[in-house]
């Protein structure tokens, strides 16, 4: 058994290394796709600009049509890239447990699972991508209209100051620049690719989350077919930044299988988008008598943690409710704003 377990552990570690490489390659291709699209749209703004270096409202609709065309190209190429990346990620997870055609069977099933999976927000993968694209199109259109109008009005105001032979205020000079093609090009690049909340940043989060989901799903499906596997251990990444809900998932012994170990298919993973946590198989002979005796629900596990850790895992307000005996297990993942209203109706007073 120990030889089998060691072989699986080694194969799992190797798969994670390969998975990291596949993810880097996918991200590089995705980043290049959005960067090239942003560069194209910047060139299109310059092509449509007026003699004074501004984009006029009269040609804005033509430009927005080009934006829609570019976003459609992104959608098509991104879809092909995502499907190929999901397939490769799933194959790596499946290959830990299977060989030959069985890898393909597990991988295809995992990709289908990802495609059909509905999150807690009620959205499927296709819904998220549709919202991403609609948001990018709407954000670019609204920002361009606003900047063009602000720039035009500021330019008129600046002309009036000049006509009076007075210095144009800095704020008006800055607003006048908002309608220039140079500034508009920067805005488009930010909305599409450069800024933290850009369409690319949203797509990157989807890619990372769903590739991990495909990999983990195939890995779990393969493990489920092994007679000696009893569960999946929720592991924190070595670069786990700070305590959060993942710490509870990784350390609570909820099933009497050991800290952070869940029956196959029941691990709360991925716990959130962009997760860096991962699953590994646990064999029957790894579960000790102490593990079985140490079973505890989430609430009791939290109560046994130091106050500082309770604050880190739950937030100070929710941790205070835990220590006051108000928090139920079902409340652990409920947003505090909802709990606060509920508790206030029950007469709980907050400092």
């Amino acid at each position: 058994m120990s030889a089998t377990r060691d072989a699986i552990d080694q194969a799992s570690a190797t798969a994670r290394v390969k998975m990291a490489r596949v993810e880097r390659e996918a991200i590089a291709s995705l980043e290049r796709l959005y960067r090239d699209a942003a560069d194209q749209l910047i060139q299109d703004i310059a092509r449509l600009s007026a003699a004074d270096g501004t984009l006029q409202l009269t040609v804005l609709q033509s430009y927005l049509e080009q934006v829609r065309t570019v976003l459609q190209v992104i959608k098509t190429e991104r879809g092909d890239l995502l499907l190929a990346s999901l397939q490769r990620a799933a194959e790596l997870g499946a290959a830990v447990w299977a060989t030959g055609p069985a890898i393909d069977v597990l991988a295809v099933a995992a990709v289908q699972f990802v495609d059909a999976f509905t999150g807690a927000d009620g959205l499927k993968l296709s819904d998220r991508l549709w919202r991403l694209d609609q948001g990018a199109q709407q954000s670019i259109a609204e920002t361009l209209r606003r900047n063009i109008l602000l720039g035009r009005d500021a330019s008129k105001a600046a002309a009036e100051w000049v006509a009076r032979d007075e210095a144009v205020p800095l704020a008006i000079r800055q607003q006048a620049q908002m309608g220039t093609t140079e500034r508009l090009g920067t805005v488009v690049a930010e909305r599409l690719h450069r800024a933290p909340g850009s369409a690319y940043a949203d797509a990157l989060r989807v890619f990372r989350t769903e590739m991990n989901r495909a990999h983990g799903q195939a890995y779990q499906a393969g493990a489920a077919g092994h007679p000696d596997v009893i569960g999946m251990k929720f592991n924190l990444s070595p670069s786990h930044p700070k305590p959060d809900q993942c710490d509870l998932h990784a350390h609570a012994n909820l099933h009497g299988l050991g800290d952070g170990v869940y029956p196959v298919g029941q691990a709360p993973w991925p716990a959130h988008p962009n997760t860096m946590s991962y699953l590994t198989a646990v064999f029957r002979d790894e579960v000790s008598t102490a593990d079985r005796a140490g079973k505890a629900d989430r609430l009791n596990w939290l109560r046994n943690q130091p106050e500082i850790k309770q604050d880190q895992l739950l937030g100070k307000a929710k941790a205070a409710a835990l220590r006051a005996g108000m928090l139920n297990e079902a409340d652990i993942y409920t947003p505090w704003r909802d709990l606060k209203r509920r508790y206030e109706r029950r007469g709980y007073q907050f400092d």
Side-chain angles (χ1 to χ4, degrees), residues 31 121 246:
E31 196 273 340
D121 55 5
C246 289

Side-chain angles (χ1 to χ4, degrees), residues 36-50:
D36 290 349
D39 290 344
Q40 177 62 53
L41 289 177
I42 289 173
Q43 293 173 20
D44 291 334
I45 285 182
R47 178 174 54 81
L48 292 171
S49 66

Side-chain angles (χ1 to χ4, degrees), residues 80-302:
D80 293 341
L81 175 61
L82 180 57
L83 180 59
S85 300
L86 291 175
Q87 184 68 27
R88 291 180 68 191
E91 288 170 355
L92 288 174
V96 174
W97 305 96
T99 58
I103 293 177
D104 294 334
V105 172
L106 289 171
V108 168
V111 173
Q112 290 174 342
F113 174 87
V114 169
D115 186 59
F117 178 79
T118 301
D121 55 5
L123 299 179
K124 293 184 177 181
L125 175 57
S126 58
D127 301 323
R128 298 183 198 286
L129 293 173
W130 182 85
R131 284 194 174 190
L132 188 160
D133 293 334
Q134 290 298 111
Q137 182 174 313
Q138 183 177 352
S139 176
I140 290 173
E142 290 178 352
T143 304
L144 288 180
R145 287 192 183 96
R146 182 174 64 251
N147 280 25
I148 290 172
L149 290 171
L150 284 172
R152 183 187 64 183
D153 293 344
S155 295
K156 290 180 180 178
E160 294 174 0
W161 282 79
V162 171
R164 295 194 299 268
D165 199 25
E166 298 180 30
V168 180
L170 176 61
I172 291 180
R173 295 202 308 270
Q174 290 175 334
Q175 285 191 355
Q177 293 299 311
M178 295 180 71
T180 63
T181 53
E182 181 179 357
R183 176 57 188 158
L184 294 177
T186 299
V187 166
V188 169
E190 289 174 345
R191 295 294 182 273
L192 194 61
H193 171 243
R194 295 177 187 168
S198 66
Y200 163 69
D202 290 341
L204 175 59
R205 182 172 60 253
V206 171
F207 263 62
R208 281 176 169 161
T209 302
E210 303 309 326
M211 286 177 66
N212 278 323
R213 197 189 308 279
H215 179 80
Q217 181 63 25
Y219 181 86
Q220 290 187 85
H226 195 291
D228 295 315
V229 170
I230 197 171
M232 288 284 126
K233 180 168 177 58
F234 189 110
N235 301 276
L236 297 177
S237 165
S239 56
H240 184 61
K242 61 181 180 179
D244 61 13
Q245 61 180 312
C246 289
D247 289 75
L248 190 158
H249 300 324
H251 298 303
N253 182 4
L254 305 180
H255 299 277
L257 299 174
D259 293 351
V261 182
Y262 301 80
V264 178
Q266 295 184 32
W269 180 93
H272 54 74
N274 274 336
T275 184
M276 294 183 288
S277 59
Y278 59 94
L279 301 177
T280 51
V282 174
F283 288 79
R284 295 182 188 278
D285 64 352
E286 294 182 277
V287 180
S288 68
T289 301
D291 290 332
R292 296 187 182 92
K295 179 179 177 181
D297 62 29
R298 291 177 178 85
L299 208 56
N300 282 322
W301 184 84
L302 286 166

